[in-house]
Amino acid sequence: MKLLVIGSGGREHALAWRLLQSKRVEHVYVAPGNGGTALMKGASNVALSDPQALADFVRAQDIALTVVGPEAPLAQGVVDTFRAQALKIFGPTRAAAQLESSKDFAKAFMVRHHIPTAAYQTFTDPLAAHDYINAQGAPIVIKADGLAAGKGVVVAMSLNEAHEAVDAMLGDGSLGPAGARVVIEECLLGEEASFIVLCDGKNIFPLATSQDHKRLKDADQGPNTGGMGAYSPAPVVTPIIFERAMKEVIEPTIHGMAADGIPFTGFLYAGLMISQGDDATCPIKVLEFNCRMGDPETQPIMMRVRSDLLSVFEHGVNGTLDQAQIDWDPRTALGVVMASHNYPDTPRLGDAITGIPTEAPDCVVFHAGTSLKDHVLQTSGGRVLCVTALDESVRATQKRAYDTIQKIQFDGAQYRTDIGWRALEA
Ligand code: AMP
Ligand code: GLY
């Protein structure tokens, strides 16, 4: 069977890598892919992004199933294009992907269906937004309504910062149309977790729990990024929290989408804020929905899959996720992102990468912003690699990942040295 994975990040490298271990998979195409998927045996990159061009490619190559990694092609309607031509694809339609592509849509949806989230209001008029901020006080959170590649959220600790964010987005158009409307919401406290499930429109299949590190620097300092590392399982998601997240967030979301006439298919990622306190009563609130797997959460999650991943996606597109199963490795998986010089502002590209080991037991180096130029691997994006290990304890897994990192070089490489710290304390 031939498969297509759409995307170019570490998430897509990890999905393609795990899918290739299925006995039934003969080849995985990755569009557009990266240096890692170009080098992977059994995979090849395809330089296509237009939904119809991808559909034509799938038909020409007789590809059985397509999995979509990132949000942009979903918001473009790639799933709608494929389905209209009876091609099998796992992901949400453009309408359902609004849960991620419009924060205002997601907030209104949550209020309508009584899904717990931060109190908010939406604005297009800067004066009204400034008045609301003054009335609410700081800290307060300003979010661009549309997709902004991880740059659309400002957690403002002061009124000044909040007003500046509004002026930049609504006044100066700093984020373009994505920031022409903003959601302003209450600042929540607690510990974040990534709660990711697969849906086929009615059945829900939860993946292993995970947690991401959004800030650039150790001890959660510095600017927000797309994610500097992740691990699975996440101890904060205890069995009680897991049950409650399913009942209070995931089930009402899937049922609510179906009731609204927009059945949800694909990955649903709820970013949760779990307050301190008793697991049975502490508030669990939704920070955001994504309509895709997380990056880098996917990398450790894929390391823990011990059974055939293809069959899960087949159940996903056939509406039989109630029969899906994954045998999870009980060990801890942990991925550390190596980012390029000047990430997240304006990452420098074109630095040569050396030292990636070809064999490292229970450790896989997933590529993200890498490309091959004249057979030399070089940086081509902000997040470059995700070094992902598996071991018995959080500490042993950390050591395994960081030992491999020591062998890898590129100029200006930045990485956190404390990925997994919360799990160590748990
Ligand atoms: P989002 O893209 O909505 O996940 O926001 C990115 C990051 O901003 C989240 O992972 C949180 O760390 C932070 N964040 C978003 N919304 C809030 C909120 N209401 N309160 C506190 N932090 C938030
Ligand atoms: N790691 C966060 C995200 O994928 O949105």
Side-chain angles (χ1 to χ4, degrees):
M1 210 182 254
K2 293 188 234 171
L3 308 176
L4 172 66
V5 174
I6 299 177
S8 64
R11 166 184 50 212
E12 289 75 28
H13 188 184
L15 283 167
W17 168 80
R18 184 52 85 197
L19 284 167
L20 270 168
Q21 285 161 19
S22 168
K23 288 193 183 65
R24 292 181 296 141
V25 175
E26 163 197 341
H27 199 86
V28 178
Y29 294 95
V30 190
N34 57 38
T37 52
L39 290 167
M40 191 164 55
K41 204 165 156 278
S44 46
N45 291 347
V46 190
L48 294 175
S49 60
D50 171 67
Q52 186 52 50
L54 287 164
D56 292 341
F57 178 78
V58 159
R59 200 171 305 99
Q61 297 294 329
D62 199 20
I63 289 169
L65 178 67
T66 298
V67 180
V68 190
E71 62 277 16
L74 298 169
Q76 267 186 335
V78 71
V79 170
D80 309 66
T81 301
F82 272 52
R83 286 211 189 132
Q85 299 167 58
L87 300 172
K88 296 217 165 190
I89 186 164
F90 190 64
T93 60
R94 182 182 175 151
Q98 287 179 95
L99 276 183
E100 175 167 4
S101 64
S102 168
K103 302 262 187 211
D104 177 57
F105 175 93
K107 296 295 285 190
F109 170 85
M110 285 189 267
V111 170
R112 193 159 66 243
H113 293 284
H114 312 290
I115 296 160
T117 188
Y120 83 108
Q121 271 192 37
T122 301
F123 298 92
T124 51
D125 173 20
L127 290 178
H130 288 307
D131 285 348
Y132 183 72
I133 289 168
N134 285 333
Q136 298 297 313
I140 192 159
V141 182
I142 321 294
K143 298 185 170 182
D145 176 56
L147 295 179
K151 296 197 162 60
V153 176
V154 176
V155 180
M157 298 314 293
S158 67
L159 283 178
N160 228 357
E161 227 183 310
H163 289 304
E164 274 174 24
V166 164
D167 284 337
M169 291 185 205
L170 291 183
D172 306 338
S174 60
L175 295 174
R181 192 151 62 144
V182 298
V183 164
I184 302 185
E185 71 179 27
E186 168 200 5
C187 187
L188 300 174
L189 295 177
E191 186 169 345
E192 287 180 46
S194 308
F195 202 97
I196 308 174
V197 304
L198 282 77
C199 308
D200 60 14
K202 52 181 194 302
N203 302 298
I204 302 169
F205 182 78
L207 293 177
T209 60
S210 58
Q211 197 169 26
D212 181 17
H213 297 62
K214 289 247 162 62
R215 302 288 188 136
L216 181 68
K217 303 224 183 258
D218 281 11
D220 293 333
Q221 302 294 309
N224 259 325
T225 69
M228 293 299 290
Y231 55 95
S232 172
V236 65
V237 185
T238 60
I240 294 173
I241 297 285
F242 182 94
E243 287 307 317
R244 288 186 53 208
M246 288 294 287
K247 288 255 158 340
E248 295 171 27
V249 173
I250 302 293
E251 288 169 12
T253 301
I254 299 305
H255 298 153
M257 290 294 279
D260 288 354
I262 320 174
F264 191 92
T265 53
F267 299 104
L268 179 69
Y269 165 150
L272 302 178
M273 187 67 97
I274 301 162
S275 310
Q276 277 192 327
D278 179 357
D279 280 3
T281 53
C282 68
I284 302 176
K285 291 190 182 177
V286 177
L287 288 171
E288 62 166 341
F289 282 124
N290 295 315
C291 295
R292 50 174 177 81
M293 287 194 74
D295 190 336
E297 292 93 325
T298 304
Q299 292 85 317
I301 290 174
M302 285 301 119
M303 287 293 276
R304 295 187 56 212
V305 174
R306 291 201 293 204
S307 48
D308 180 38
L309 183 64
L310 171 61
S311 72
V312 178
F313 292 141
E314 288 176 319
H315 284 302
V317 291
N318 293 331
T320 50
L321 272 177
D322 51 330
Q323 296 164 39
Q325 274 188 333
I326 291 184
D327 174 22
W328 294 106
D329 194 314
R331 291 178 292 170
T332 295
L334 181 144
V336 181
V337 168
M338 296 181 79
S340 51
H341 176 70
N342 229 5
Y343 176 77
D345 291 341
T346 41
R348 186 173 70 204
L349 314 180
D351 287 308
I353 307 166
T354 56
I356 298 180
T358 38
E359 279 288 307
D362 283 331
C363 186
V364 182
V365 180
F366 294 113
H367 292 227
T370 72
S371 59
L372 279 178
K373 197 166 176 215
D374 303 328
H375 305 286
V376 177
L377 197 64
Q378 60 174 38
T379 63
S380 61
R383 292 187 291 172
V384 177
L385 302 168
C386 183
V387 179
T388 312
L390 192 62
D391 212 320
E392 297 294 339
S393 68
V394 180
R395 201 170 288 286
T397 313
Q398 270 186 334
K399 181 168 183 333
R400 197 177 277 281
Y402 284 111
D403 282 352
T404 298
I405 283 188
Q406 298 314 315
K407 301 181 179 146
I408 302 173
Q409 286 102 30
F410 54 91
D411 281 348
Q414 326 178 48
Y415 58 88
R416 281 180 60 158
T417 63
D418 64 347
I419 299 302
W421 69 269
R422 283 181 191 275
L424 276 178
E425 290 182 356

